[in-house]
Amino acid sequence: MSKDTVTLINNRDGKSYEFPILDATVGPSVINISTLYKETGMFTYDEGYTSTASCRSDITYIDGAAGKLMYRGYDIAYLAQEKTFLDTAYLLLNGDLPNKAELDNFSFEMQKRSFVNEGVKKLFDAFPDRAHPMAILSAGVSALSTFYFKHLEITNKEEYKEMANRIVAKIPTLAAFSYRYSQGLPIIYPDMNRGFTENFLYMLRSYPHNYVELRPIEIKALDTIFTLHADHEQNASTTAVRNLASTNAHPYAAISAGIGALWGKSHGGANESVIRQLEMIGSVDRVDKFIAKAKDKEDPFRLMGFGHRVYKNFDPRAGVLKKIRNELMGELGISSELVEVANKIEDIALSDEYFVSRGLYPNIDFYSGLILQALKIPKEMFAVIFVIGRTPGWIAQWSELNKQKSVKIARPRQLYVGSDDRTPEY
Ligand code: ACO
């Protein structure tokens, strides 16, 4: 019996089976059970894939217990504090950080490709005012496949690069258009003289021919949010993207599916819920009542923006955002009842035994919600911002799967609990 195996014994018939252990470069090893059904006639059951590794990946590593997150081996705090979102996007897409010339070139590519075919705009006309920007964005990305059909089949490295640059560059434009249309506002074209993040904020805020003030701290805060959202291992939307990729679907369809998954309240919608909850609490004198509700086992109320499925010590992204939130609010001189409510909740949660003993620290959504609110970005755009950040990660994951020698279509099995052989009544 090899040391690097796990033995499974079926107590029903006493048969034993050996499965190899595969080691990760860092983090938990896995048991390779790909022959399990063939050997035992049984499947595994793991609802929500809490103990299942669905792929091999060298993109992102998370250690929830240690509060660690790395993209391609670089710590998230280093990338967020020392690098820009474009550096990070380049890193995810190409495997290494860019040098100065590569970054300049990538940045120029982004500017050049940020425009969309004029025909795309007609699509937006079909949506009513107040349509949710996520619905418009998802449809817009899907529609890109009708304009840029060269990338429906990708056969070489150059085509992959072009596709990746095209999608990363166009998503902010589509996102800004989605918002402007949803509000009945005129759309603003990209400005070739502005950098990636600044350009997005400009398209969101500006009026035609009007000056728009964009402070460096605002651009930095939004850029940091993009960086911190750029990838997060095999989360629900990335899994959706990979599932589509496994069917040989083109990247536009895969990204559009990712947007659909991210729209869910339990995924990309959490920071919007943070702000809605703070507004619902309304004033500092009501905070204690809601803290008591959050601690009450009989009450389903939960404090939004606290706790995380993976990070049980602290969310490494939250620490970075807390710093930026403090700088932003200080510089913009923002003070409001909502901010005071948030500060009081944060203070209590960081010291109260209930939250501390359960490791319920403020998560990324708590701080990103407050930052986006301070940037005057409407709540229905919060998930859209997440999409802009996550797009390089989705494309890197789509591409990683497609570069494998052989790709298995994602096709889980089930534990059937329905009726067996119902006899029809005549
Ligand atoms: N408020 C009050 N109590 C909480 C909260 C909260 N936000 N989160 C967890 N708890 C309590 C639970 O009641 C439980 O208490 P118990 O041990 O006495 O039964 C304990 O903490 C552990 O909670 P679980 O639900 O087991 O933790 P899980 O890992 O399953 O949930 C989750 C994580 C879903 C994020 C949860 O903390 C939560 O609902 N938070 C609020 C929503 C939120 O902020 N979501 C965004 C997460 S970040 C992201 O997805 C990008």
Side-chain angles (χ1 to χ4, degrees):
M1 193 182 297
S2 158
K3 198 162 91 21
D4 293 322
T5 59
V6 161
T7 304
L8 179 74
I9 300 171
N10 183 343
N11 291 327
R12 285 182 175 170
D13 58 16
K15 284 189 184 161
S16 73
Y17 308 87
E18 256 186 82
F19 297 99
I21 296 173
L22 307 179
D23 287 322
T25 38
V26 51
S29 304
V30 302
I31 307 164
N32 183 353
I33 53 150
S34 47
T35 59
L36 181 91
Y37 178 60
K38 212 161 107 193
E39 291 187 43
T40 68
M42 282 190 280
F43 302 125
T44 53
Y45 181 68
D46 181 19
E47 216 173 310
Y49 311 125
T50 53
S51 296
T52 298
S54 62
C55 62
R56 288 171 192 251
S57 183
D58 65 9
I59 302 173
T60 291
Y61 174 71
I62 300 173
D63 181 343
K68 196 171 176 61
L69 169 62
M70 297 189 299
Y71 299 158
R72 305 264 191 212
Y74 289 101
D75 190 77
I76 192 65
Y78 165 73
L79 293 171
Q81 285 162 353
E82 310 290 332
K83 297 284 168 186
T84 64
F85 173 63
L86 279 196
D87 285 301
T88 305
Y90 186 99
L91 170 71
L92 288 168
L93 296 171
N94 301 290
D96 293 304
L97 279 168
N99 59 30
K100 167 96 177 55
E102 286 164 337
L103 183 63
D104 288 348
N105 194 28
F106 186 52
S107 182
F108 180 60
E109 274 276 310
M110 291 296 113
Q111 287 167 322
K112 208 173 64 181
R113 293 186 185 279
S114 60
F115 292 83
V116 291
N117 184 298
E118 282 294 296
V120 175
K121 277 169 32 195
K122 294 199 188 106
L123 180 81
F124 289 84
D125 285 334
F127 296 112
D129 278 8
R130 308 286 154 196
H132 198 288
M134 282 293 267
I136 307 179
L137 183 59
S138 169
V141 172
S142 192
L144 284 182
S145 64
T146 64
F147 292 89
Y148 305 101
F149 38 82
K150 181 174 162 194
H151 295 138
L152 302 191
E153 292 285 346
I154 293 176
T155 53
N156 63 50
K157 221 174 150 189
E158 282 315 304
E159 283 175 357
Y160 158 71
K161 236 183 182 163
E162 193 181 326
M163 172 278 293
N165 290 348
R166 178 167 274 152
I167 298 184
V168 176
K170 289 188 190 329
I171 289 249
T173 308
L174 290 178
F177 283 11
S178 309
Y179 169 65
R180 306 287 300 201
Y181 271 91
S182 77
Q183 300 297 303
L185 292 168
I187 57 157
I188 303 292
Y189 283 96
D191 179 347
M192 282 288 285
N193 297 313
R194 296 176 192 269
F196 184 91
T197 301
E198 180 186 348
N199 204 4
F200 172 66
L201 211 47
Y202 160 78
M203 289 188 282
L204 214 58
R205 278 190 188 171
S206 179
Y207 281 83
H209 312 299
N210 263 16
Y211 172 75
V212 57
E213 191 191 4
L214 304 170
R215 295 200 195 192
I217 183 68
E218 295 183 296
I219 297 163
K220 171 71 187 157
L222 188 57
D223 199 74
T224 308
I225 287 184
F226 288 156
T227 299
L228 296 174
H229 284 92
D231 199 47
H232 210 228
E233 210 220 50
Q234 305 310 317
N235 58 85
S237 57
T238 301
T239 299
V241 169
R242 274 190 176 258
N243 277 359
L244 260 79
S246 81
T247 70
N248 238 329
H250 58 75
Y252 301 106
I255 302 291
S256 185
I259 293 172
L262 196 66
W263 195 0
K265 278 202 192 83
S266 311
H267 196 1
N271 50 7
E272 183 178 337
S273 310
V274 168
I275 298 301
R276 288 197 192 283
Q277 189 173 85
L278 293 175
E279 286 170 348
M280 188 264 292
I281 295 172
S283 60
V284 173
D285 57 345
R286 278 160 52 89
V287 167
D288 289 338
K289 177 178 150 199
F290 284 93
I291 293 281
K293 273 167 78 63
K295 289 158 68 170
D296 182 357
K297 287 270 132 257
E298 304 303 315
D299 193 325
F301 178 84
R302 280 194 168 194
L303 221 45
M304 297 309 293
F306 290 83
H308 196 279
R309 170 57 59 83
V310 177
Y311 300 115
K312 294 301 180 192
N313 257 332
F314 66 94
D315 181 338
R317 303 165 300 174
V320 176
L321 278 192
K322 180 175 179 170
K323 219 167 135 234
I324 283 275
R325 182 218 39 188
N326 293 345
E327 282 173 40
L328 180 73
M329 300 236 172
E331 215 171 291
L332 299 186
I334 290 178
S335 64
S336 66
E337 185 84 31
L338 187 131
V339 172
E340 282 171 33
V341 170
N343 289 345
K344 183 163 181 193
I345 292 177
E346 185 185 2
D347 287 347
I348 294 175
L350 288 173
S351 56
D352 187 295
E353 194 277 332
Y354 174 91
F355 295 94
V356 174
S357 65
R358 288 169 177 76
L360 300 174
Y361 295 100
N363 58 41
I364 185 172
D365 295 306
F366 181 72
Y367 295 112
S368 67
L370 289 167
I371 290 174
L372 295 175
Q373 172 90 358
L375 292 176
K376 299 195 190 68
I377 292 176
K379 288 187 282 289
E380 60 277 14
M381 281 298 285
F382 286 10
V384 171
I385 303 282
F386 195 155
V387 169
I388 298 173
R390 184 55 55 88
T391 301
W394 283 336
I395 298 173
Q397 301 267 356
W398 180 91
S399 159
E400 184 176 70
L401 186 135
N402 275 283
K403 282 180 188 156
Q404 283 172 209
K405 272 197 209 90
S406 71
V407 175
K408 273 209 179 306
I409 188 166
R411 175 57 173 93
R413 301 305 296 262
Q414 62 173 13
L415 173 66
Y416 177 68
V417 293
S419 310
D420 178 20
D421 249 348
R422 292 175 91 179
T423 313
E425 286 174 26
Y426 295 101

